[in-house]
C-alpha cells in the first residue's frame, strides 16, 4: 500500500507545448522517468504523447492531466 506522502509528481512539457502532469508511487520512479524523457529528447528527438506514454509505463506512472 502506498501512503499519500510517498506520491511524487512531475510536470513535463511535450513537443507540442502541452504540459503533462504525471503521478508516481515513489520519487525514484519519478526521477527515472524524468531522466529517461530528457535523454530521449537529447538523443532521439521530440517527446510526444506516444513517447511519454511508453516511458511512463516503464516507470509505473500515470497521467493525471494535460494543461496548456
Amino acid at each position: 500500500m502506498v501512503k499519500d506522502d510517498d506520491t511524487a509528481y512531475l510536470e513535463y512539457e511535450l513537443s507540442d507545448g502541452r504540459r503533462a502532469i504525471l503521478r508516481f508511487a515513489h520519487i525514484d520512479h519519478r526521477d527515472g522517468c524524468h531522466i529517461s524523457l530528457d535523454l530521449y529528447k537529447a538523443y532521439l528527438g521530440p517527446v510526444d504523447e506516444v513517447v511519454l506514454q511508453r516511458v511512463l509505463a516503464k516507470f509505473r506512472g500515470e497521467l493525471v492531466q494535460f494543461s496548456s
Side-chain angles (χ1 to χ4, degrees), residues 24 28-33 36 54-61:
F24 302 87
D28 291 340
H29 297 168
R30 184 208 57 193
D31 291 348
C33 184
S36 293
R54 189 170 54 232
V55 174
L56 191 58
K58 288 182 182 180
F59 291 95
R60 292 173 268 166

Side-chain angles (χ1 to χ4, degrees), residues 11-31:
E11 184 174 348
Y12 199 84
E13 186 171 347
L14 301 180
S15 59
D16 64 6
R18 291 184 295 162
R19 299 188 75 75
I21 309 296
L22 312 172
R23 180 173 41 222
F24 302 87
H26 195 275
I27 194 166
D28 291 340
H29 297 168
R30 184 208 57 193
D31 291 348

Side-chain angles (χ1 to χ4, degrees), residues 15-68:
S15 59
D16 64 6
R18 291 184 295 162
R19 299 188 75 75
I21 309 296
L22 312 172
R23 180 173 41 222
F24 302 87
H26 195 275
I27 194 166
D28 291 340
H29 297 168
R30 184 208 57 193
D31 291 348
C33 184
H34 193 190
I35 291 166
S36 293
L37 289 169
D38 282 351
L39 285 172
Y40 187 97
K41 184 170 29 176
Y43 293 104
L44 299 173
V47 175
D48 59 14
E49 190 172 348
V50 172
V51 171
L52 175 73
Q53 292 289 357
R54 189 170 54 232
V55 174
L56 191 58
K58 288 182 182 180
F59 291 95
R60 292 173 268 166
E62 66 178 325
L63 175 64
V64 176
Q65 71 178 40
F66 282 115
S67 62
S68 301

